[in-house]
Amino acid sequence: MVHAQFDPTARQQLAAAAVDAKLRKDLTWQQIADAAGLSVAFVTAAVLGQHPLPAASATAVAELLGLDQDAALLLQTVPTRGSIPGGIPTDPTIYRFHEMLQVYGTTLKALVHEQFGDGIISAINFKLDVQKVADPEGGERAVITLDGKYLPTKPF
């Protein structure tokens, strides 16, 4: 049976314990995702409290991190989503994403609606990928792919 959380506290505490275990065991998010058998972006979000994991994945992650069966069970619950408290984010990395949406949000909206019509891009039927690539001008660039299903608005 699927169970849901109504208070994010339990998942936040589990996320803190999981990140601590990840650090102590010197694991990467990719290694944790490999154990779960799912994508690195999804598993990272799940461990950080934003998605439930399937039972087998939750058990594998808990075992890898040295967490107990209660943690494996909690990893399977549907969380109260949203990891950034109200207001403008202060973490520099998260703030830059906020800034990108402030600058390009209306552009993205205009282009999505022009190409697809009235509707939204799903954050549930969604894929995320982050790649580090060489910058031809020197240094490195981050290529972030947000791949969400388009859901049209339906008149009723």
Side-chain angles (χ1 to χ4, degrees), residues 65-79:
L65 294 174
L67 302 173
D68 62 21
Q69 282 303 109
D70 287 342
L73 186 61
L74 189 55
L75 283 168
Q76 297 172 59
T77 63
V78 178

Side-chain angles (χ1 to χ4, degrees), residues 116-125 148-154:
F116 293 92
D118 185 17
I120 63 166
I121 306 300
S122 176
I124 302 301
N125 190 336
K149 181 174 180 157
Y150 176 74
L151 302 170
T153 299
K154 294 182 181 179

Side-chain angles (χ1 to χ4, degrees), residues 15 22 53-54 76 79 83 117 120 126 141 145 149:
K22 174 189 176 294
L53 286 174
Q76 297 172 59
S83 60
I120 63 166
F126 185 80
R141 298 189 68 82
T145 303
K149 181 174 180 157

Side-chain angles (χ1 to χ4, degrees), residues 4-9 11-12 49-51 77-83:
Q5 293 291 307
F6 70 94
D7 178 355
T9 306
R11 287 300 293 267
Q12 289 167 347
Q50 299 304 305
H51 294 303
T77 63
V78 178
T80 300
R81 291 180 170 97
S83 60

